[in-house]
C-alpha cells in the first residue's frame, strides 16, 4: 500500500501510522480515512505485528473532519454516501491494540478518532475538544457517547456545548488519557509502551482488549461471564503454562503466541 495521507513505518512488532496532511493539520477526509482503515486492517491481519501506534504531527493529531469537504454537503448526500461512517466502523473492528499518541490538537473527529483507539498517551501540549457546535453541527463519530463515558457527563456537556478545549493535565485528571509525557519524548514513550504489550502473548493481549471493550457494551453480569469464559480458555494455551512456569522458576518467559 502506498498511501498519500499517511506515513507508515514498522519497527519490529510495532506498526506506526502517522496521519499526514500537514497543511490541513491532519484534517480527516475520505481519502485519509480510506487509507487509515486499509492500513489498520493490513496490520491487524499481519502475524508479525502485535500493536499499532497512531499519531499525528507535533502540532496536531487531527484538527477534525475536513471542513472544506463537508461545507457544501446536503442531507441526502451525507446520508446517501454514508458520509465517512463506513471507515469509522471498520476502525472499531481492529483486534490488536491501537494506541493513540497525541500531540497538539485533537479536535472534533480528531478527538473521536483518538477515543476510538484503545488508550491515549498525550504529550504535555495536547489539547482535546469537540468544537463542532461552532460550525453548526454536533459530534458525528461517537463524541457525544464516548466522551461522557471517559470523562463523565458534566465535563462532556461542557466541552460539547461550549467548544472549550481540555489540556493534557485536565484530560489525565478526567481519565480521557492514560498518561501524559513530555512532548519531545511522546513517540519514544508510545513505542516503548507498544513494545511492552508486544512482549506478552498475542492472543492473551487480544482477549484482554476484547474483555475491556465488553465493559462498555454489556450489563455487568454478562461482561463478567464473558471475561470468565475467556479466562478459562487461556488455560488451554502454551503461553499460560510457560508464563506461570517461568515465574515459579524465576526466569524470563518464552512466549510462542499459542
Ligand atoms: N478542516 C479543514 N481544514 C482545517 C481544519 C479542518 N478541520 N482545521 C484546520 N484546517 C486548516 C486551516 O484552514 C488552515 O488552512 P490554510 O488557511 O493554511 O489553507 C490550516 O489548517 C492551519 O490552520 P489555522 O491557520 O487555523 O491554524 P491555527 O494554529 O491558527 O488554529 C486550530 C488551529 C486547530 C485551532 C484551528 O485550525 C481550528 O479551529 N480548526 C478547526 C477545528 C474544528 O472545528 N474541528 C471540528 C471540525 S468538525 C463523522 C465523523 C466525524 C465528524 C463528522 C462526521 N461521521 C462518522 C459521520 C467530525 C466533524 C468535525 O471534526
Amino acid at each position: 500500500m502506498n498511501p498519500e495521507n499517511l506515513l507508515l513505518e514498522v519497527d519490529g512488532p510495532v506498526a506506526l501510522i502517522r496521519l499526514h496532511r500537514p497543511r490541513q493539520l491532519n484534517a480527516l477526509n475520505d481519502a485519509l480515512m480510506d487509507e487509515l482503515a486499509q492500513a489498520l486492517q493490513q496490520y491487524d491481519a499481519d502475524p508479525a505485528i502485535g500493536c499499532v501506534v497512531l499519531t499525528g504531527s507535533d502540532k496536531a493529531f487531527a484538527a477534525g473532519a475536513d471542513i472544506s469537504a463537508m461545507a457544501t454537503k446536503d442531507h441526502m448526500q451525507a446520508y446517501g454516501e454514508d458520509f465517512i461512517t463506513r471507515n469509522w466502523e471498520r476502525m472499531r473492528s481492529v483486534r490488536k491494540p491501537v494506541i493513540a499518541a497525541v500531540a497538539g490538537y485533537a479536535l472534533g473527529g480528531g478527538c473521536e478518532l483518538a477515543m476510538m483507539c484503545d488508550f491515549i498517551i498525550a504529550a504535555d501540549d495536547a489539547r482535546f475538544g469537540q468544537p463542532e457546535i461552532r460550525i453548526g453541527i454536533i459530534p458525528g463519530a461517537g463524541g457525544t457517547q464516548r466522551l461522557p463515558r471517559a470523562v463523565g457527563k458534566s465535563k462532556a456537556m461542557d466541552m460539547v456545548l461550549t467548544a472549550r478545549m481540555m489540556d493534557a493535565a485536565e484530560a489525565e485528571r478526567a481519565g480521557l488519557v492514560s498518561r501524559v509525557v513530555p512532548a519531545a519524548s511522546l513517540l519514544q514513550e508510545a513505542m516503548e509502551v507498544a513494545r511492552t504489550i508486544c512482549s506478552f502473548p498475542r492472543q492473551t493481549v487480544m482477549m484482554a482488549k476484547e474483555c475491556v471493550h465488553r465493559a462498555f457494551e454489556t450489563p455487568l453480569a454478562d461482561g463478567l461471564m464473558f471475561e470468565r469464559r475467556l479466562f478459562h480458555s487461556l488455560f488451554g494455551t502454551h503461553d499460560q503454562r510457560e508464563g506461570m512456569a517461568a515465574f515459579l522458576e524465576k526466569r524470563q518467559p518464552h512466549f510462542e503466541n499459542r
Side-chain angles (χ1 to χ4, degrees):
M1 124 173 238
N2 203 6
E4 287 180 8
N5 303 287
L6 306 175
L7 300 174
L8 305 179
E9 242 173 84
V10 170
D11 181 2
V14 182
L16 173 63
I17 303 177
R18 293 177 206 253
L19 306 174
H20 188 61
R21 294 187 76 212
R23 271 176 291 153
Q24 295 83 9
L25 302 184
N26 295 331
L28 309 167
N29 63 8
D30 274 349
L32 184 151
M33 291 308 297
D34 281 338
E35 291 174 359
L36 179 58
Q38 206 186 329
L40 285 168
Q41 280 187 328
Q42 182 181 303
Y43 292 135
D44 208 23
D46 183 345
I49 299 297
C51 189
V52 178
V53 173
L54 178 63
T55 195
S57 66
D58 291 348
K59 182 160 184 199
F61 179 73
D66 190 323
I67 298 170
S68 62
M70 290 190 286
T72 57
K73 267 192 210 310
D74 64 29
H75 180 189
M76 283 302 109
Q77 248 182 313
Y79 177 79
E81 67 193 36
D82 204 9
F83 172 52
I84 65 178
T85 305
R86 61 185 191 277
N87 296 319
W88 294 82
E89 293 306 313
R90 277 206 270 163
M91 164 96 183
R92 276 178 47 199
S93 64
V94 177
R95 297 177 73 206
K96 291 174 186 166
V98 182
I99 303 171
V102 174
Y105 296 110
L107 302 179
C111 186
E112 290 169 313
L113 182 61
M115 287 191 290
M116 266 187 277
C117 296
D118 295 309
F119 60 99
I120 302 173
I121 300 178
D124 51 16
D125 66 356
R127 303 187 75 189
F128 299 86
Q130 298 289 165
E132 289 89 341
I133 200 108
R134 273 212 194 110
I135 55 170
I137 57 173
I138 63 172
T144 65
Q145 305 304 302
R146 290 196 180 93
L147 192 60
R149 282 168 166 81
V151 305
K153 176 188 160 196
S154 193
K155 267 190 198 294
M157 279 289 188
D158 183 359
M159 290 171 73
V160 168
L161 297 182
T162 70
R164 92 166 166 89
M165 291 184 209
M166 206 184 244
D167 65 20
E170 185 182 2
E172 188 184 28
R173 279 198 308 277
L176 179 60
V177 311
S178 67
R179 15 182 144 179
V180 177
V181 300
S185 57
L186 174 68
L187 258 194
Q188 198 188 320
E189 300 255 3
M191 295 298 282
E192 194 50 46
V193 172
R195 276 192 286 275
T196 299
I197 292 171
C198 291
S199 72
F200 301 128
R202 183 76 43 80
Q203 289 87 344
T204 312
V205 164
M206 290 164 70
M207 284 188 193
K209 165 171 170 161
E210 221 179 327
C211 282
V212 175
H213 278 290
R214 276 291 162 123
F216 296 96
E217 311 285 351
T218 54
L220 180 61
D222 293 352
L224 289 172
M225 185 52 78
F226 183 78
E227 178 196 79
R228 193 65 34 86
R229 292 293 172 247
L230 290 192
F231 174 80
H232 287 158
S233 76
L234 287 167
F235 285 81
T237 64
H238 163 273
D239 289 338
Q240 171 269 333
R241 291 224 184 293
E242 168 61 11
M244 293 188 183
F247 176 82
L248 294 174
E249 291 160 18
K250 301 189 187 309
R251 61 171 174 83
Q252 286 301 309
H254 178 70
F255 294 126
E256 295 181 12
N257 298 330
R258 64 184 179 87

